[in-house]
Amino acid sequence: MNKDIATPSRTREILQKHGFSFKKSLGQNFLTDPNILQKIVAAAEIDEHTNVIEVGPGIGALTEHLARAAHQVLAFEIDDRLIPVLADTLSPYDNVKVVHQDILQVDLKKETDYFDQSGPIKVVANLPYYITTPIMMHILESDLVVDELVVMMQREVADRISAKPGTKAYGSLSIAVQYYMEATTAFIVPKTVFIPQPNVDSAILRLVRRKTPAVAVTNEAEFFKLTKASFILRRKTLWNNLLNSYGKDDAAKKWLESSLQQAEIDPKRRGETLSLEEFARLSNALEANKK
Ligand code: SAM
């Protein structure tokens, strides 16, 4: 087996050889602990049938662990300076394709033509923290059905995604993700295993696709609009937030009032207390009562 990229000494050696300097603006914090990488691969339950998509391979620390365990790995890296570095560090692996592209611009469905065998598709990544949420939504809303994501992110964002109703962290992001996926925090990662060290704690979040969405809604776009509207001003009641988004005229008031009544939801409650089921009930009532 090749010497791990992800030790502090080998990482420094690679950076020096290629004259690489970190770009903070691209969220470049490289992992330098093979044990953590092994734990990530284990949490993702990758085997020789798994096709893996990686976001931001950096110098290939995680990529090589994925390449050893998976069938194939498709990695998207935005920084052109890393492309020759990756060609060098990943040369021992013939089951990896590195694509020089911004992940937010990638048509995932099209790019996954690379995979030469059908099998579960999993996203495994140490995400660039400055765009964690846009990346998550880009993947979840793409035409490609990703079965599982095991991704490192700021602990605070992982907490928000996996939050339960009635907690401070619960919001429209929790609902947007939990609608499609079951979310759990796999483990916490200390700052000390990165070069350079980030300012915040990190967590590995595991998301597993549900067979069907968590709740049945008649109009998905309206459901997500409702959940966003309900959290715009967290300290306000549901009623006030809904009036602000849907209009304050008599017709709108009547529509909202009768829908809330039909869904058996007290308008004086705050959005953060409503479960996914309750939001679905309210969204379906609003749809049914539309003029
Ligand atoms: N996977 C490596 C590791 O664990 O050591 C690097 C992880 S580092 C936190 C994030 C990586 O994402 C960097 O290599 C950065 O250049 C890359 N990146 C940042 N923005 C990106 C984007 N929009 N699309 C693709 N890659 C991006």
Side-chain angles (χ1 to χ4, degrees), residues 2 29 51 98 105 195-196 206 226 228 232 254 267 277 284:
N2 301 290
N29 302 95
N51 292 317
V98 174
Q105 306 300 325
I195 298 182
R206 179 163 183 247
L226 169 68
K228 279 203 185 104
I232 288 179
K254 239 174 125 179
E277 287 76 17
N284 291 346

Side-chain angles (χ1 to χ4, degrees), residues 26-31 37 54-63 76-79 82 101-104 126-131 135:
L26 290 179
Q28 292 178 336
N29 302 95
F30 295 170
L31 271 167
L37 293 164
E54 188 191 1
V55 181
I59 60 170
L62 174 59
T63 325
F76 298 96
E77 174 56 61
I78 199 172
D79 189 343
L82 287 169
Q101 213 179 335
D102 175 348
I103 186 69
L104 298 180
N126 169 16
L127 293 175
Y129 292 176
Y130 73 107
I131 44 166
I135 292 176

Side-chain angles (χ1 to χ4, degrees), residues 163 165 170-171 174-180 210 213-217 223 227 274-282:
Y170 181 68
S174 331
I175 297 168
V177 176
Q178 291 175 31
Y179 178 73
Y180 303 106
R210 301 176 189 276
V215 287
V217 295
F223 170 71
T227 59
L274 267 68
S275 65
L276 262 77
E277 287 76 17
E278 289 176 309
F279 275 119
R281 232 160 54 210
L282 180 54

Side-chain angles (χ1 to χ4, degrees), residues 152-199:
M152 172 128 69
M153 57 182 65
Q154 311 90 300
R155 187 175 180 175
E156 179 257 329
V157 181
D159 287 345
R160 281 203 280 134
I161 289 177
S162 58
K164 298 274 172 277
T167 63
K168 237 171 96 184
Y170 181 68
S172 54
L173 179 63
S174 331
I175 297 168
V177 176
Q178 291 175 31
Y179 178 73
Y180 303 106
M181 317 289 286
E182 226 158 319
T184 46
T185 298
F187 58 96
I188 305 301
V189 180
K191 296 175 196 173
T192 48
V193 300
F194 300 90
I195 298 182
Q197 287 190 21
N199 298 324

Side-chain angles (χ1 to χ4, degrees), residues 62-76:
L62 174 59
T63 325
E64 79 170 348
H65 281 259
L66 296 170
R68 287 176 192 154
H71 173 59
Q72 286 179 309
V73 183
L74 180 60
F76 298 96

Side-chain angles (χ1 to χ4, degrees), residues 132-161:
T132 304
T133 308
I135 292 176
M136 297 294 290
M137 295 321 294
H138 178 68
I139 295 169
L140 292 178
E141 288 170 355
S142 91
D143 292 336
L144 179 75
V145 177
V146 172
D147 301 285
E148 191 172 328
L149 292 93
V150 173
V151 278
M152 172 128 69
M153 57 182 65
Q154 311 90 300
R155 187 175 180 175
E156 179 257 329
V157 181
D159 287 345
R160 281 203 280 134
I161 289 177

Side-chain angles (χ1 to χ4, degrees), residues 86-140:
L86 287 161
D88 178 15
T89 58
L90 298 177
S91 60
Y93 306 97
D94 60 6
N95 59 342
V96 180
K97 181 180 172 189
V98 174
V99 180
H100 174 215
Q101 213 179 335
D102 175 348
I103 186 69
L104 298 180
Q105 306 300 325
V106 171
D107 178 341
L108 284 169
K109 183 123 193 211
K110 215 168 117 208
E111 289 289 340
T112 46
D113 281 351
Y114 164 68
F115 296 134
D116 64 14
Q117 205 172 281
S118 65
I121 298 184
K122 302 190 180 188
V123 171
V124 185
N126 169 16
L127 293 175
Y129 292 176
Y130 73 107
I131 44 166
T132 304
T133 308
I135 292 176
M136 297 294 290
M137 295 321 294
H138 178 68
I139 295 169
L140 292 178

